[in-house]
Amino acid sequence: MIYYKLLIYLILLSVGITSTFETSIGICNLEIYEGKTEHIIELENLIKEEVNNLVNKYGKIEKNKFSIYITSNLNEFNKQAKGKTPEWGIAVAKRNPERIIIKPPKIINISFNRLKKIIIHELNHIYIFRIKNYSSIPSWFKEGLAMKSSKEFSLINKIEISKSIWKNNILPLNKIKNFNLLHTSNIQLAYSESAAAIEALEYYYGNEILKVVLNNMQKNMSFNKALEQAINEPLYNFEIFFESFLKQNYNWIFLLKSPKYFYMFLPIILIFGFIFQQYRKKIIYKKWEIEEGLEDLECEKLKN
C-alpha cells in the first residue's frame, strides 16, 4: 500500500497539476508542472477574466479548445512546442492545436506576477488566431495588441524607442511585419515600436479603431484592407503619422536612463525653460497693457 501511494505521488509530481474549465472562447486545459494548487486557481480565474475582456472589447469569435502548459524544464517546453521557437522568447502561442507553452519560471527567473502578464499576452494570440485572414496580420499589430492587454509597454520600451530616434535607426512599420526575419538585436525595439503603434492608432483614429479593424477582418477582409477602411485613408499615411508620433512622444525619454545625460542636458533645459517663462511674462504684460489702454480709451469716451 505504501509503495502504491508513493507511485501515485511520483506520477502526479511528474505530470503536474491539471485543470480543465470553460471560458468564453472555448474549453481551456491548464497544466502546471511543479505548480501549487493555489496558483492554478488564481490562474484559472485570470484566464477566464482575460478572455472575457477580449470578447467584450473586440467581439465574439468561434469557440475552440486550447491548452496552456507551464513547463518545468526546457525538454518539456520543446516537446509541447513541437517545432522551432524564437530564441528570444520565454513563451510561445501555437496553432493546430492551439496552445500556449511557457518556459519554466524558475529557469527564466520570473515572478508570479510576471507569469500572469505573459499568460495575458499569449491569450491575445490565441484570440487573434481565430480572426479571419489571420495570416495577413503583421507582427507589429499582433504583438502591440498583446502588449496593450498585458500592460507591458514600460519605460524601458520607451527609452529603447528614444535611443533609436537619436541614433536614427527607427524601424519603419513595413520592416516589422514579421519578427522572425529580424536580427535578434532589433527584437526589443520591434516590440517597443509595436506597442507604440497601437497607441498611435488610438491617438489618431479613436479608442474603437482596434475593434473596427478586427470586425472588418471578420467580414473576410485582409488586414491592410481592414485597416485602410477603418482609418479611411491609405496605410502609408498612418506609417508617416507613426514616425511623427514617435518623435513627438518619445524623443527625450532616453535622458531618464542615465543621470549623466540628464545632468548634462539639465542646464540647457533650464535655460530654455527660463527663456520660455520670460517670453510668457512679456506676452501677459503686453496683454495687460492693451487691456488697460482699452479701459482708458473707454473712460475717455464716457467723459466726452
Side-chain angles (χ1 to χ4, degrees), residues 138-140 173-182 187:
S139 290
W140 67 260
L173 281 184
N174 60 14
K175 297 294 184 184
I176 51 177
K177 290 180 180 178
N178 187 345
F179 282 14
N180 292 326
L181 301 179
L182 294 174
I187 292 300

Side-chain angles (χ1 to χ4, degrees), residues 243-283:
E243 292 196 26
S244 297
F245 180 83
L246 293 181
K247 291 173 183 176
Q248 289 169 9
N249 289 276
Y250 309 112
N251 220 5
W252 295 95
I253 292 180
F254 79 95
L255 294 175
L256 299 175
K257 184 180 181 183
S258 171
K260 178 181 72 175
Y261 291 127
F262 178 76
Y263 289 117
M264 183 174 69
F265 282 96
L266 184 58
I268 299 172
I269 295 170
L270 291 173
I271 289 168
F272 275 107
F274 176 77
I275 293 170
F276 178 71
Q277 286 296 327
Q278 294 301 311
Y279 176 74
R280 280 192 64 198
K281 285 179 182 178
K282 284 183 180 179
I283 295 293

Side-chain angles (χ1 to χ4, degrees), residues 4 9-10 15 96 114 128 133 144 147 149-150 174 176 185 191 204 207 243 247 251 269 281 289 294:
Y4 176 75
Y9 171 77
L10 290 173
V15 171
N96 303 318
R114 176 66 181 131
I128 293 295
N133 295 315
M147 290 180 74
S149 289
S150 57
N174 60 14
I176 51 177
S185 61
Y191 274 99
Y204 287 113
N207 292 333
E243 292 196 26
K247 291 173 183 176
N251 220 5
I269 295 170
K281 285 179 182 178
E289 286 177 7
L294 290 173

